Amino acid sequence: MAVIEARKQQWQTLTTTAWDVLVIGGGITGAGVAREAVRRGLRTALIEQTDYSWGTSSRSSKMVHGGLRYIAQGEVRLTWHSLTERERLLREAPGLVERMGFHFAHYKGVFPGRWPFQFLITVYDLLAGMRDHRYFKKLNFLARMPGHRGEGLTGATRYTDAVVDDSRLVQRVLDEAVADGLVMLNYVKATDLVMTGDRVTGLRLQDTSDDFGSDRGETAVVAAKAVINATGAWADRLRRKLIDEVRVRPLRGSHLVFSAHRLPLSEALICHHPDDQRVMFIYPWEGRTIVGTTDLDHRDDLDIEAALSEAEMHYLLRGINTQFPAAKFTVEDIISTWSGVRPVVSAGDGSDPSKESRSHSVWDNQGLITVTGGKLTTFRLIALDALRLAAGQLGITVRDDGAAIFRSPQSGPAPEHLTPAMFAHVVARFGIHTQRFLREMPAGELVHIADTNTLLAELRWACRHEQVVHLDDLLMRRVRLGLLLPRGGLSLIPQIDAILRDELHWSAEKISAERVRYESIWRRYYYLPTAAKV
């Protein structure tokens, strides 16, 4: 019962300690705040009302990039910061964050042509402190991007950005913070603010993980010098207890997942959708081909997972079929989908969603520090700004000392029973825990699941060490099999029930109920709209 006892102990510690910093939100922003806080010796706790990275941070476009269009919109500083952080992440988390080539095709008489685009890319590279672009003539480009439409094509410009497993990035940041003393717990909800006079001095909490060894509805009051609201699209909820203001504009971005056999790509394509000229991406990720994204106002309940609409599905299908007409993608080709809600800080003028700034904002409302907006790439800088605003409450000065986010894993040579590629995968996913992973995990489980790079042992490790409460925590976020395998992947993991029994101590009835729950979640939120289901 080690996992259950560990959770009870964490709840006990969480609810009986006077904290310096209490972070609400287990996405990349909250994880970044916690990482920077514990590094500075602050007693820090983090809570998440559902699961870590459940919201936007597991449903991004998986890109660590500077944002070319931000230069065109005049947000040069945002681009510079993003590119600087991109290079930092590439250095510190190799394998997890990977450089990838992006191609932009040019057509006769269509803006932007080769030279305007190359000017933009030159500025982009200068901000990154590198030169990493080149031009390909038509035939050379088509050889690199087989099946791409050729009518009117004159050539293409290639530059580089990076891709990541966003949910795993969150977990790696949390691992680093825990190693420095962070206490964190998922499925804990902040139900109200605690006030002393007119200042926020803590939170009322409720543990909602009733299926995991806690009493349903167990509550507590927790004190902290600084409460940091890093809940992304949910940020206005707590703020509105103090100020009648709505600043977050939730925008939905959706993606389709296809087999790489249908469209084998080694690098990415950036293009404009034929209907509205919005930028979209077609790119390889985790052995699959991804197309995205949309950019729409999301008006549904934020507590219900965002899901692809039928209109978005057809929009994305039209986009990929325009670029690769011979492929003739249909609904039947879609393996899975995902939709995320971006917490964009609105200008309040009702403008085109794609023209809203992606900069972040930080507010202090009676001691409640709220941080939202921004990009996955710049989470470290966002965290520092949040802590700077809380510095007066904490009695500290916050400077950017440039310290690494990730420690060196000190992984050494690959063990004899692992190929170099498999070992690199383990290092990328587990970082400072690499050697412990290899010591603890059964050698017989260091094998790939189906045609993915995911190892069976990753499921056991996650159940043992990463606070898995529900089956979707495991298959949608700790690993990404729910996105990569047909029908959510359950039928392709025959060993999963034994792992759930061994590590989580689930009964046969509990496993059956979790399977039903998971399959329902996958069909409703990670597959096709109801009217389009095959």
Side-chain angles (χ1 to χ4, degrees):
M1 295 293 190
V3 174
I4 294 175
E5 291 304 317
R7 183 173 180 91
K8 288 181 177 179
Q9 181 59 52
Q10 285 159 324
W11 172 257
Q12 178 73 12
T13 303
L14 173 66
T15 57
T16 58
T17 304
W19 299 100
D20 294 321
V21 178
L22 185 52
V23 182
I24 316 167
I28 191 61
T29 300
V33 171
R35 177 74 183 102
E36 294 301 325
V38 294
R39 185 207 302 286
R40 288 163 172 78
L42 298 170
R43 290 171 300 173
T44 305
L46 179 147
I47 61 165
E48 163 56 48
Q49 69 173 352
T50 49
D51 185 33
Y52 306 118
S53 76
W54 181 87
T56 312
S57 295
S58 63
R59 310 164 199 242
S60 73
S61 292
K62 322 301 185 198
M63 292 183 187
V64 174
H65 66 138
L68 267 177
R69 68 186 179 88
Y70 306 140
I71 297 178
Q73 293 173 348
E75 295 191 86
V76 177
R77 185 179 179 83
L78 174 61
T79 305
W80 175 50
H81 283 161
S82 299
L83 290 169
T84 301
E85 294 301 297
R86 180 195 74 183
E87 293 303 306
R88 168 191 286 270
L89 288 167
L90 282 164
R91 290 192 305 271
E92 293 185 17
L96 178 62
V97 182
E98 298 182 282
R99 199 179 297 277
M100 179 179 287
F102 285 69
H103 298 76
F104 184 85
H106 304 293
Y107 294 88
K108 187 175 182 180
V110 177
F111 183 84
R114 172 184 177 180
W115 298 114
F117 192 81
Q118 287 206 301
F119 173 76
L120 184 67
I121 286 294
T122 299
V123 175
Y124 198 65
D125 280 357
L126 284 171
L127 291 172
M130 60 193 297
R131 187 187 189 284
D132 198 21
H133 69 271
R134 61 175 297 190
Y135 180 78
F136 290 96
K137 294 181 179 179
K138 176 179 177 176
L139 294 180
N140 289 336
F141 168 65
L142 292 176
R144 298 173 67 87
M145 201 72 58
H148 191 280
R149 65 189 178 103
E151 183 180 355
L153 180 70
T154 58
T157 301
R158 178 190 183 273
Y159 66 99
T160 66
D161 262 317
V163 293
V164 68
D165 179 342
D166 48 1
S167 194
R168 199 65 209 171
L169 178 66
V170 173
Q171 188 64 49
R172 284 278 310 271
V173 175
L174 289 172
D175 285 348
E176 295 285 348
V178 168
D180 280 342
L182 173 70
V183 171
M184 66 181 197
L185 211 52
N186 54 357
Y187 294 96
V188 173
K189 186 175 183 179
T191 58
D192 206 354
L193 301 171
V194 173
M195 309 292 292
T196 300
D198 64 350
R199 303 291 292 177
V200 174
T201 55
L203 293 172
R204 297 184 185 278
L205 305 182
Q206 180 180 18
D207 185 349
T208 62
S209 64
D210 55 295
D211 293 328
F212 214 96
S214 63
D215 296 328
R216 182 171 180 82
E218 190 170 355
T219 61
V221 174
V222 178
K225 292 180 182 177
V227 176
I228 299 183
N229 172 19
T231 55
W234 292 260
D236 281 331
R237 284 190 181 176
L238 280 175
R239 283 188 78 237
R240 293 195 73 186
K241 292 177 179 291
L242 302 170
I243 180 172
D244 187 17
E245 180 181 65
V246 175
R247 295 297 305 274
V248 178
R249 181 180 182 180
L251 299 178
R252 186 173 70 250
S254 297
H255 302 76
L256 307 180
V257 181
F258 298 101
S259 165
H261 296 298
R262 286 288 281 114
L263 183 62
L265 298 179
S266 60
E267 296 191 320
L269 177 73
I270 176 174
C271 55
H272 289 112
H273 195 280
D275 294 344
D276 57 8
Q277 299 304 301
R278 273 205 71 252
V279 169
M280 59 182 291
F281 298 90
I282 304 168
Y283 55 101
W285 181 75
E286 294 291 324
R288 302 296 182 262
T289 298
I290 312 299
V291 57
T293 176
T294 55
D295 205 6
L296 304 168
D297 283 299
H298 183 75
R299 297 185 172 89
D300 298 336
D301 184 349
L302 289 173
D303 289 338
I304 298 174
E305 297 196 51
L308 175 86
S309 70
E310 190 168 4
E312 286 176 293
M313 180 187 70
H314 290 299
Y315 174 90
L316 293 172
L317 282 171
R318 175 161 160 71
I320 193 170
N321 282 326
T322 297
Q323 302 302 324
F324 296 92
K328 295 183 170 59
F329 283 102
T330 68
V331 172
E332 285 78 7
D333 293 307
I334 299 172
I335 295 175
S336 67
T337 68
W338 78 78
S339 297
V341 180
R342 307 178 187 96
V344 174
V345 180
S346 178
D349 56 5
S351 60
D352 180 342
S354 297
K355 294 181 180 177
E356 291 275 27
S357 172
R358 267 37 177 188
S359 295
H360 65 278
S361 293
V362 186
W363 303 284
D364 180 350
N365 300 109
Q366 296 173 239
L368 176 67
I369 306 300
T370 298
V371 55
T372 193
K375 291 160 48 62
L376 176 75
T377 312
T378 55
F379 72 88
R380 188 186 71 90
L381 301 180
I382 296 170
L384 289 173
D385 279 349
L387 286 174
R388 286 188 185 103
L389 199 56
Q393 295 162 235
L394 296 166
I396 62 171
T397 299
V398 177
R399 295 186 178 89
D400 184 357
D401 58 8
I405 302 164
F406 302 105
R407 298 170 178 86
S408 170
Q410 297 180 329
S411 51
E416 291 182 1
H417 58 287
L418 286 183
T419 67
M422 293 169 71
F423 182 57
H425 173 82
V426 171
V427 174
R429 293 190 66 80
F430 297 101
I432 57 173
H433 295 314
T434 295
Q435 292 303 323
R436 185 179 178 189
F437 176 88
L438 294 172
R439 286 194 305 270
E440 286 190 20
M441 294 299 101
E445 292 182 0
L446 297 174
V447 294
H448 291 126
I449 296 172
D451 66 339
T452 72
N453 290 324
T454 302
L455 303 176
L456 181 61
E458 293 180 54
L459 304 185
R460 186 175 297 279
W461 174 273
C463 289
R464 186 178 298 178
H465 294 297
E466 294 179 353
Q467 296 186 11
V468 170
V469 173
H470 292 292
L471 191 51
D472 58 299
D473 302 341
L474 178 62
L475 297 181
M476 300 308 306
R477 289 173 288 279
R478 302 304 182 277
V479 299
R480 315 314 296 271
L481 296 176
L483 298 178
L484 304 177
L485 296 177
R487 297 176 296 281
L490 271 181
S491 62
L492 297 175
I493 320 171
Q495 307 92 331
I496 192 169
D497 288 2
I499 291 174
L500 298 174
R501 284 194 302 269
D502 292 348
E503 301 298 337
L504 301 180
H505 310 288
W506 286 357
S507 65
E509 293 75 18
K510 170 67 172 175
I511 291 172
S512 177
E514 283 290 334
R515 279 176 166 269
V516 171
R517 179 183 186 275
Y518 171 74
E519 289 173 348
S520 174
I521 288 171
W522 183 82
R523 288 195 169 274
R524 290 178 66 187
Y525 307 118
Y526 294 95
Y527 190 39
L528 305 177
T530 302
K533 283 186 169 58
V534 179

